[in-house]
Amino acid sequence: MSRISQPDPELTHRLTRRGMLGVAAGATAAALVGAAASPAGAAPEAATGTTGHGRGRPVLPPGRLGIQLYSLRDKVSTLGFAPVFAELEKYGYDEVEFAGYTQGSAGPITLAQLKRLARDHGLNPIGSHVGYYADDPNAYTFAQNLTKVLDDAQALGLKHIGTASGPFRYGSTVDAWKRAAEEFNTYGAAAKARGMKFYQHNHSEEFSFATDNPKVRLYDVLLRETDPDLVFLEMDIFWAYSGQFRFSKRPDGTPAPFEPLNYVLRQPHRYPLFHVKDGVSDPANTYGYRMTDVGDGDIDYQKFISAVTRLRGERLAHHWQAEHDQPAESFTFARRSSAYLHSLREKC
């Protein structure tokens, strides 16, 4: 059973607002429902469900709510990991994803201590972000220090180890991304040999077009050129919908629409991890959205999470990590986001 304290007093208002919006970020609800029913292997009820709370089955699978600790870097740096983990335990989180193993933590801490501390608070260390490459040969990145990166991940008991760096190391051409994909395959093979999955976390730019072939979306090159048994994806849902806003037309202005959810539904096994990050639609913003706490924005997480977890055999196959790049108050973000996601119920 998930551990969750009493709902936030503002939760009813937030749910009511979400019900009135009734839209997925940048897409109509009908588009999401239609997408959910399309892939082979989907359960017959995959497209059903309503926004809101009630007595139906929780939308969020038990034991699968995590948080990317980058969102709490201010608290880790001033308070240390122990008080932060204690708060996350109170808020009902099950997992944590690291963005470095110190984050300026108050006082030194070893990997063994960090692992034990997380487990003492009922938190499963599920993954970590590490840099892809750097000019410094001693840098802590996959390209420069693969063995050390994997040693540390293994010491923490991580099942996933990845990067939030885009595959732009060699440029934005098709061949440049093929070259990066080859390196990702190498990292994936090394991680697999240790019982882990290597993954890449997207931002919006991955959905842009190749500079030498504007008919080709770079994200499609990444999917096609990486081995599906070695390289996995962590979809940052906010940035994917931002990519939809920014890159639904090719550079020449011709339409190139896409639905982020469809990528997942076509290959759900490639997406073990997600970043659950919300945004208020704002066409005047370069990225199409203004980031906000989960539940306060326009991304319909009831529909998105339900569409994925209702696929046959997929309910417990994914991990959902709440995140906000610049929260106004990070503990408040963590608490309210957890309360909102735990409140969502599927249609009875």
Side-chain angles (χ1 to χ4, degrees), residues 140-182:
Y140 190 79
T141 64
F142 283 96
Q144 277 68 41
N145 273 294
L146 178 60
T147 299
K148 174 61 174 171
V149 167
L150 297 181
D151 284 347
D152 289 350
Q154 200 164 24
L156 275 168
L158 301 181
K159 296 299 182 184
H160 309 82
I161 181 68
T163 184
S165 303
F168 292 97
R169 182 179 188 181
Y170 305 106
S172 299
T173 66
V174 172
D175 284 343
W177 275 51
K178 286 182 177 179
R179 187 176 175 187
E182 289 179 5

Side-chain angles (χ1 to χ4, degrees), residues 169-201:
R169 182 179 188 181
Y170 305 106
S172 299
T173 66
V174 172
D175 284 343
W177 275 51
K178 286 182 177 179
R179 187 176 175 187
E182 289 179 5
E183 294 183 342
F184 281 14
N185 285 332
T186 298
Y187 308 151
K192 184 177 182 179
R194 298 190 187 216
M196 293 179 283
K197 292 180 178 180
F198 169 80
Y199 64 95
Q200 193 269 342
H201 162 285

Side-chain angles (χ1 to χ4, degrees), residues 43-126:
E45 72 278 17
T48 64
T50 60
T51 301
H53 62 307
R55 293 183 293 176
R57 182 176 71 164
V59 167
L60 193 70
R64 291 297 185 270
L65 178 61
I67 192 166
Q68 166 51 256
L69 291 171
Y70 181 76
S71 305
L72 296 157
R73 60 195 180 279
D74 62 323
K75 296 296 193 294
V76 172
S77 66
T78 56
L79 303 176
F81 281 103
V84 171
F85 288 171
E87 288 297 305
L88 295 178
E89 182 180 19
K90 284 197 309 183
Y91 301 158
Y93 284 94
D94 308 295
E95 301 174 333
V96 289
E97 182 185 33
F98 292 99
Y101 306 130
T102 60
Q103 293 187 245
S105 174
I109 188 168
T110 67
L111 294 178
Q113 290 171 330
L114 189 55
K115 178 181 179 180
R116 183 168 60 252
L117 187 62
R119 296 292 170 83
D120 285 348
H121 289 286
L123 298 169
N124 179 33
I126 192 65

Side-chain angles (χ1 to χ4, degrees), residues 28-319:
T28 65
L32 273 174
V33 171
S38 60
E45 72 278 17
T48 64
T50 60
T51 301
H53 62 307
R55 293 183 293 176
R57 182 176 71 164
V59 167
L60 193 70
R64 291 297 185 270
L65 178 61
I67 192 166
Q68 166 51 256
L69 291 171
Y70 181 76
S71 305
L72 296 157
R73 60 195 180 279
D74 62 323
K75 296 296 193 294
V76 172
S77 66
T78 56
L79 303 176
F81 281 103
V84 171
F85 288 171
E87 288 297 305
L88 295 178
E89 182 180 19
K90 284 197 309 183
Y91 301 158
Y93 284 94
D94 308 295
E95 301 174 333
V96 289
E97 182 185 33
F98 292 99
Y101 306 130
T102 60
Q103 293 187 245
S105 174
I109 188 168
T110 67
L111 294 178
Q113 290 171 330
L114 189 55
K115 178 181 179 180
R116 183 168 60 252
L117 187 62
R119 296 292 170 83
D120 285 348
H121 289 286
L123 298 169
N124 179 33
I126 192 65
S128 182
H129 286 188
V130 177
Y132 168 19
Y133 68 94
D135 294 332
D136 179 0
N138 298 314
Y140 190 79
T141 64
F142 283 96
Q144 277 68 41
N145 273 294
L146 178 60
T147 299
K148 174 61 174 171
V149 167
L150 297 181
D151 284 347
D152 289 350
Q154 200 164 24
L156 275 168
L158 301 181
K159 296 299 182 184
H160 309 82
I161 181 68
T163 184
S165 303
F168 292 97
R169 182 179 188 181
Y170 305 106
S172 299
T173 66
V174 172
D175 284 343
W177 275 51
K178 286 182 177 179
R179 187 176 175 187
E182 289 179 5
E183 294 183 342
F184 281 14
N185 285 332
T186 298
Y187 308 151
K192 184 177 182 179
R194 298 190 187 216
M196 293 179 283
K197 292 180 178 180
F198 169 80
Y199 64 95
Q200 193 269 342
H201 162 285
N202 65 275
H203 292 87
S204 61
E205 289 77 12
E206 281 87 338
F207 297 95
S208 63
F209 299 95
T211 53
D212 62 333
N213 188 345
K215 293 183 178 180
V216 176
R217 194 180 301 280
L218 288 171
Y219 195 70
D220 296 335
V221 177
L222 177 65
L223 285 169
R224 184 174 64 248
E225 298 296 329
T226 50
D227 187 327
D229 292 326
L230 300 178
V231 176
F232 299 86
L233 291 308
E234 176 179 60
M235 179 175 279
D236 185 303
I237 299 168
F238 171 92
W239 287 121
Y241 279 108
S242 173
Q244 182 193 60
F245 172 84
R246 298 179 68 193
F247 303 113
S248 282
K249 290 183 179 179
R250 298 186 180 90
D252 65 1
T254 57
F258 73 96
E259 168 53 53
L261 178 58
N262 284 347
Y263 278 107
V264 182
L265 298 181
R266 283 193 292 264
Q267 300 186 70
H269 66 286
R270 296 206 73 177
Y271 293 88
L273 305 171
F274 291 91
H275 273 189
V276 180
K277 184 186 296 181
D278 214 343
V280 175
S281 179
D282 181 5
N285 186 295
T286 300
Y287 297 101
Y289 297 87
R290 287 179 286 105
M291 203 173 294
T292 189
D293 293 353
V294 181
D296 284 347
D298 297 334
I299 299 178
D300 193 332
Y301 276 111
Q302 194 281 334
K303 286 186 170 64
F304 195 104
I305 298 174
S306 289
V308 176
T309 58
R310 284 185 162 193
L311 296 175
R312 186 170 293 115
E314 296 294 329
R315 181 157 174 81
L316 296 176
H318 308 274
H319 304 265

